[in-house]
Amino acid sequence: MCLMKNLAIKYFVDMQNMWYNQTYMNKTRAIIKYCVICVIVAIAVALCFVEFTFPFTNTKYVGCYQAIKNKMGIDLNGGVLAVYTVEPAENSVNLDTEVDATINRIKSTLSSKGYLEATVTKQGTNPNYKIRIEVPGMSETEEIMDAIGTPANIEFLEPSSDQNPSYDADKIFLKGDGLEGVEVVSEAAVTEKKDSTNYAIKLHFTDKGKRIFNDKVKDAAGKSLAIFSNKSLISAPQINSENAATLGLDGYVLITGSYTKEGAESFALQIESGMYTVGLEVSQMSYIPATLGEGAIMAGLIALAIGLLLIFVLMIVVYRDFGLIANLSLIIYTVIFVFCLAIIDSIQLTLPGIAGIILSIGMAVDAYILIFEQIKEEYRAGKRFAAATHAGFNKSIVTILDANVTTIIVSLILYCLSSGSIRGFAITLALGVGISMFVGLVITRALAKLYLYINPDNAKRANIKFNNHDNHEEVVETKPTVPQKRKLNMGGAK
Amino acid sequence: MKLIEKIKKSNFNFVRNGRWFFIAPAAILLLGIIMLAVLGFNLGLEFTGGTIVSVNADGVHSKVEIQEKMDTYNVKYTITEEQNTNGGNNYSIKFNADANQTTTITTELKDYFASDWQSSETIQASTTNETIVSVFWSILAALAGLIVYMLIRFKFTAGMATVLALAHDVLMICALMAIFQIEINASFIAAILTVMAYSINNSLVVFDRVRNYEKNNTENYTLEQIINRSINRTLGRSILTVATTLVTLLVLTVISLVMSLSSLIEFALPIIFGLIAGTYSSLFLIAPLYKQFETARLYAKQRKKTISD
């Protein structure tokens, strides 16, 4: 028995020595690791602001700051707001999908014209839908007309030998909903005429449209196919005799002719806008001036910088070493957040979005505060510093999850149901809270574990002291007279 | 440091003193309603539509002169100083009048300002009733989602108290906006949403504590003790959190005041009101509300049991 006891004691002493050696070894290593982390973070922060061209390539790196500034929404940047009332077609089957299809088409048209920041949203309820289009940076209301075209119905009439056919509703065999897209291609690239400088319009059919189209034209070589828009003839191209039989079966058809690039583009736009499956009537069209000028954005940035600085100071004063960890995490959080804002296309920077950013920074700090307060409590309940730190992180997970998940739920519901800048707020908030949860529960935790290698036992360096005046009706927390010798849980270190 | 010690020591009975804390919000609400009846909200052009006239601020006419000139027209107007793209300052005069009057005023102002005149712009209301109604419904749906989540994770009564606290916060912002006649523009909706999210977060932290203490209630503490303890223990955290969020907003307000950027002030002020209201409600209102709801629930449960027995 005695031998066993001695062996056990020897084992524990060995373990302890090993552990101390390891701590000593790890202390230097931990400090080095911290330095490396700081350098990486510093580089990441720098990457937010700098702009450069990659050597040997033409790829330009635009800093996050510039990228986000380019993505400012209509309320910050000014722009054109247009609201269209949807008029369902007479034979409309499923208005919801038709409206969605129209929205998608408007979106792709706008982005192909360079208005990448435009938002197109559905408002109202079936059958009284409205389509709201916001184009930041656009200065004239007419431009939006130029960009998305004057929506019109496109109709293909049965081929006839008449060079100048007149409109006849009975002869319509294919409408805009049979088309999938329109693009302008150079004739030289797609036809035999290699030296041609002309352009052609390529119509892409849906599967159904493909069949209907081929049925009508395969026996109609030499005749002309009339394309009407709003009951007026826009073009009557002749059907080529060589390929009439297979025309359209590849899923597309080319309209060739002596089109210049501009001519082809404007024709394509007409067809494209004619593809909107529902009728659109302008109900509101206005230029919205920018709410905030350049000065206001500068002011906002300065405020954010000073605010962050004050938070840093406050955290260091209240939590000392843990405050430093919190600050490092906060910087990491801000950098990740800013990169996400810059990268994700669907996020625009709007005034409500800025509110979302401020709020989510507040919530990130809140997570650190919750964790540190929990650690304090664990320490006062008798745990040693390292154990208290681990317990603090473990126990505050539930609180942080509950508080943040509700926020995410609320903002996701808002995102799904709202439009415009409120949507911007919801997505920014959800993203910010999500990232802050990740940083708080994973990165801060890892940083704190690393910190325990540097300072495994001195709670005072984290400003944690025993409360001498626990005079409430509390029994749970007793101050241990002799610090209990417990095996230190070093979080993975054995 | 003494203050921090005091907060740490705090052992305030939030439940027993609950009723006194309803006085201040009630007074503000009453005052808000009176102001609303007399003056109404100061709605921005986003809601009403109107005309913006920009003139050079460094020109012949001072702000007071412009104000006197505008007073003669008997229309609602605001004058703000804004930085223009050339680095100088602009006055933008915003007013809302019917079409005929707008034309007259604009032509007259053009003559009045002569070379200082820069531009005029008529804008339609971009935030229509329809938008507000749709925002309202989406907020209600979000609140329903919140209650469902709280039903799963907490108690229904906790969800009720959270939603009531939230309603208090929103009402307080509206009342304060009416009292101080701060212009309400599109960012106001964002402010309300921000405050909602913040208020939920605050309430949840308290209820998380309550849940914890209720679960590990080996000493048979009363409900009142549990609630008081939860709030007292989270007091430090609540104050620190609100301080960190308020800091950025206060700095923003000060900078905007110095640079006279009215739109930023209109953006920051409602959020500041809301943050204060949110902290107030999560500290002082949640306790008595939750106590009442829980007592009622337990009473109903008890009675049901007695009847079935």
PDB file of all heavy atoms in Angstrom, chain A residues 34-45:
ATOM      1  N   TYR A  34       1.882  35.011 -29.755  1.00  0.00           N
ATOM      2  CA  TYR A  34       1.135  36.261 -29.657  1.00  0.00           C
ATOM      3  C   TYR A  34       1.677  37.315 -30.619  1.00  0.00           C
ATOM      4  O   TYR A  34       0.931  38.031 -31.275  1.00  0.00           O
ATOM      5  CB  TYR A  34       1.169  36.797 -28.214  1.00  0.00           C
ATOM      6  CG  TYR A  34      -0.146  36.596 -27.515  1.00  0.00           C
ATOM      7  CD1 TYR A  34      -0.285  35.649 -26.514  1.00  0.00           C
ATOM      8  CD2 TYR A  34      -1.257  37.342 -27.880  1.00  0.00           C
ATOM      9  CE1 TYR A  34      -1.497  35.435 -25.893  1.00  0.00           C
ATOM     10  CE2 TYR A  34      -2.475  37.150 -27.265  1.00  0.00           C
ATOM     11  CZ  TYR A  34      -2.589  36.190 -26.268  1.00  0.00           C
ATOM     12  OH  TYR A  34      -3.792  35.995 -25.680  1.00  0.00           O
ATOM     13  N   CYS A  35       3.042  37.371 -30.671  1.00  0.00           N
ATOM     14  CA  CYS A  35       3.655  38.356 -31.563  1.00  0.00           C
ATOM     15  C   CYS A  35       3.266  38.080 -33.004  1.00  0.00           C
ATOM     16  O   CYS A  35       2.902  39.000 -33.756  1.00  0.00           O
ATOM     17  CB  CYS A  35       5.186  38.322 -31.424  1.00  0.00           C
ATOM     18  SG  CYS A  35       5.707  38.904 -29.817  1.00  0.00           S
ATOM     19  N   VAL A  36       3.315  36.781 -33.383  1.00  0.00           N
ATOM     20  CA  VAL A  36       2.959  36.415 -34.764  1.00  0.00           C
ATOM     21  C   VAL A  36       1.519  36.824 -35.055  1.00  0.00           C
ATOM     22  O   VAL A  36       1.222  37.429 -36.090  1.00  0.00           O
ATOM     23  CB  VAL A  36       3.148  34.898 -34.987  1.00  0.00           C
ATOM     24  CG1 VAL A  36       2.593  34.486 -36.343  1.00  0.00           C
ATOM     25  CG2 VAL A  36       4.616  34.537 -34.875  1.00  0.00           C
ATOM     26  N   ILE A  37       0.620  36.523 -34.096  1.00  0.00           N
ATOM     27  CA  ILE A  37      -0.792  36.875 -34.289  1.00  0.00           C
ATOM     28  C   ILE A  37      -0.942  38.382 -34.488  1.00  0.00           C
ATOM     29  O   ILE A  37      -1.630  38.840 -35.398  1.00  0.00           O
ATOM     30  CB  ILE A  37      -1.634  36.411 -33.077  1.00  0.00           C
ATOM     31  CG1 ILE A  37      -1.689  34.885 -33.045  1.00  0.00           C
ATOM     32  CG2 ILE A  37      -3.051  36.971 -33.159  1.00  0.00           C
ATOM     33  CD1 ILE A  37      -2.294  34.321 -31.789  1.00  0.00           C
ATOM     34  N   CYS A  38      -0.222  39.144 -33.648  1.00  0.00           N
ATOM     35  CA  CYS A  38      -0.326  40.601 -33.748  1.00  0.00           C
ATOM     36  C   CYS A  38       0.134  41.091 -35.112  1.00  0.00           C
ATOM     37  O   CYS A  38      -0.489  41.973 -35.710  1.00  0.00           O
ATOM     38  CB  CYS A  38       0.496  41.275 -32.659  1.00  0.00           C
ATOM     39  SG  CYS A  38      -0.277  41.124 -31.049  1.00  0.00           S
ATOM     40  N   VAL A  39       1.241  40.488 -35.612  1.00  0.00           N
ATOM     41  CA  VAL A  39       1.759  40.907 -36.918  1.00  0.00           C
ATOM     42  C   VAL A  39       0.725  40.606 -38.004  1.00  0.00           C
ATOM     43  O   VAL A  39       0.414  41.454 -38.856  1.00  0.00           O
ATOM     44  CB  VAL A  39       3.103  40.199 -37.229  1.00  0.00           C
ATOM     45  CG1 VAL A  39       3.506  40.441 -38.679  1.00  0.00           C
ATOM     46  CG2 VAL A  39       4.178  40.701 -36.285  1.00  0.00           C
ATOM     47  N   ILE A  40       0.147  39.377 -37.944  1.00  0.00           N
ATOM     48  CA  ILE A  40      -0.854  39.008 -38.951  1.00  0.00           C
ATOM     49  C   ILE A  40      -2.031  39.975 -38.909  1.00  0.00           C
ATOM     50  O   ILE A  40      -2.503  40.468 -39.944  1.00  0.00           O
ATOM     51  CB  ILE A  40      -1.342  37.558 -38.728  1.00  0.00           C
ATOM     52  CG1 ILE A  40      -0.191  36.582 -38.997  1.00  0.00           C
ATOM     53  CG2 ILE A  40      -2.522  37.239 -39.636  1.00  0.00           C
ATOM     54  CD1 ILE A  40      -0.513  35.159 -38.646  1.00  0.00           C
ATOM     55  N   VAL A  41      -2.487  40.274 -37.696  1.00  0.00           N
ATOM     56  CA  VAL A  41      -3.623  41.184 -37.557  1.00  0.00           C
ATOM     57  C   VAL A  41      -3.271  42.561 -38.114  1.00  0.00           C
ATOM     58  O   VAL A  41      -4.067  43.187 -38.823  1.00  0.00           O
ATOM     59  CB  VAL A  41      -4.064  41.284 -36.076  1.00  0.00           C
ATOM     60  CG1 VAL A  41      -5.067  42.394 -35.893  1.00  0.00           C
ATOM     61  CG2 VAL A  41      -4.663  39.966 -35.632  1.00  0.00           C
ATOM     62  N   ALA A  42      -2.028  43.006 -37.822  1.00  0.00           N
ATOM     63  CA  ALA A  42      -1.604  44.323 -38.317  1.00  0.00           C
ATOM     64  C   ALA A  42      -1.628  44.349 -39.841  1.00  0.00           C
ATOM     65  O   ALA A  42      -2.079  45.319 -40.461  1.00  0.00           O
ATOM     66  CB  ALA A  42      -0.216  44.657 -37.792  1.00  0.00           C
ATOM     67  N   ILE A  43      -1.140  43.244 -40.455  1.00  0.00           N
ATOM     68  CA  ILE A  43      -1.150  43.181 -41.927  1.00  0.00           C
ATOM     69  C   ILE A  43      -2.588  43.231 -42.437  1.00  0.00           C
ATOM     70  O   ILE A  43      -2.911  43.946 -43.387  1.00  0.00           O
ATOM     71  CB  ILE A  43      -0.449  41.893 -42.422  1.00  0.00           C
ATOM     72  CG1 ILE A  43       1.045  41.962 -42.088  1.00  0.00           C
ATOM     73  CG2 ILE A  43      -0.645  41.706 -43.917  1.00  0.00           C
ATOM     74  CD1 ILE A  43       1.791  40.685 -42.360  1.00  0.00           C
ATOM     75  N   ALA A  44      -3.476  42.461 -41.758  1.00  0.00           N
ATOM     76  CA  ALA A  44      -4.882  42.437 -42.184  1.00  0.00           C
ATOM     77  C   ALA A  44      -5.505  43.817 -42.093  1.00  0.00           C
ATOM     78  O   ALA A  44      -6.249  44.235 -42.984  1.00  0.00           O
ATOM     79  CB  ALA A  44      -5.660  41.438 -41.338  1.00  0.00           C
ATOM     80  N   VAL A  45      -5.172  44.530 -41.002  1.00  0.00           N
ATOM     81  CA  VAL A  45      -5.710  45.890 -40.850  1.00  0.00           C
ATOM     82  C   VAL A  45      -5.203  46.775 -41.989  1.00  0.00           C
ATOM     83  O   VAL A  45      -5.963  47.523 -42.606  1.00  0.00           O
ATOM     84  CB  VAL A  45      -5.305  46.490 -39.484  1.00  0.00           C
ATOM     85  CG1 VAL A  45      -5.641  47.979 -39.429  1.00  0.00           C
ATOM     86  CG2 VAL A  45      -6.018  45.763 -38.361  1.00  0.00           C
TER      87      VAL A  45
END
